[in-house]
């Protein structure tokens, strides 16, 4: 898994997203599957990231995360809280998808079939373009976006 700091092009809203690989990021971006969680903009780009460089074993111990938070002030405290909320949200999404069937690009067809009684209701998740998602909502099909991208089962390690 790889984590990217992203931002929307329209307003520069920053957010973080997890991908199976850099190719998965490029694929989802090119197909318009990424959107800003704040404003919904689908023009997404990578934001600057600080590299994670491990320290050498012969250096003195790093300050604890609490010491760092205290030194950086209220913004760091809020960032730490936000990160904890995102981690809980990711955990909740993973738990919710545990018993859900991946239907991939057939999501819109499957959701409509369940809505109109052509298929038994069940928990499903998959991929859908933003305009198709809007069409589902306008039809009254009960769907909701997932807060984090999902790696298709066939592409998982």
């Amino acid at each position: 898994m790889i984590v990217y700091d992203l931002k929307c092009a329209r307003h520069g809203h920053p957010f973080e997203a997890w991908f199976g690989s850099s190719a998965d990021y490029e694929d989802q971006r090119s197909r318009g599957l990424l959107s800003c969680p704040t404003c919904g903009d689908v023009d997404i780009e990578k934001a600057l990231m600080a590299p994670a460089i491990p320290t050498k074993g012969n250096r003195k111990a790093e300050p604890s995360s609490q010491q760092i938070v205290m030194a950086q002030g209220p913004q760091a405290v809020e960032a730490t809280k936000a990160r904890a909320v995102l981690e809980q949200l990711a955990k909740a999404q993973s738990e919710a998808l545990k018993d859900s069937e991946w239907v991939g690009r057939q999501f819109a067809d499957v959701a409509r079939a369940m809505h109109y009684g052509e298929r038994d209701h069940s928990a499903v998740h998959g991929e859908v373009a933003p305009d198709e998602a809007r069409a589902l909502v306008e039809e009254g099909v009960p769907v909701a976006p997932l807060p984090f991208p999902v790696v298709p089962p066939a592409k998982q390690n």
Side-chain angles (χ1 to χ4, degrees):
M1 293 298 282
I2 187 168
V3 179
Y4 285 131
D5 288 334
L6 304 174
K7 65 179 180 178
C8 67
R10 186 179 313 158
H11 299 103
H13 296 129
F15 62 100
E16 187 177 88
W18 293 69
F19 300 93
S21 67
S22 58
D24 286 343
Y25 160 76
E26 292 298 336
D27 177 55
Q28 290 181 31
R29 183 176 175 270
S30 68
R31 293 191 296 155
L33 298 176
L34 302 177
S35 64
C36 175
T38 305
C39 67
D41 186 11
V42 295
D43 189 7
I44 302 300
E45 54 193 38
K46 290 181 185 176
L48 289 177
M49 296 174 57
I53 302 172
T55 59
K56 290 185 176 180
N58 63 353
R59 296 209 173 172
K60 76 177 196 178
E62 294 290 320
S64 71
S65 59
Q66 184 175 5
Q67 290 169 324
I68 292 171
V69 167
M70 297 301 280
Q72 293 176 344
Q75 289 177 335
V77 172
E78 290 304 314
T80 300
K81 288 179 184 177
R83 189 170 301 272
V85 168
L86 288 173
E87 287 172 0
Q88 289 176 333
L89 189 57
K91 193 177 200 179
Q93 175 177 305
S94 177
E95 189 65 29
L97 294 181
K98 188 169 56 174
D99 297 324
S100 178
E101 175 190 0
W102 170 260
V103 294
R105 300 292 290 158
Q106 299 300 314
F107 179 80
D109 294 334
V110 171
R112 280 190 180 97
M114 284 190 287
H115 180 69
Y116 294 114
E118 299 164 0
R119 174 182 165 148
D120 289 339
H121 287 267
S122 63
V124 297
H125 64 285
E127 299 175 2
V128 66
D131 58 331
E132 186 67 22
R134 281 188 280 283
L136 287 168
V137 170
E138 289 170 2
E139 286 180 48
V141 178
V143 296
L146 294 172
F148 301 102
V150 176
V151 177
K155 291 187 177 183
Q156 290 179 352
N157 292 347

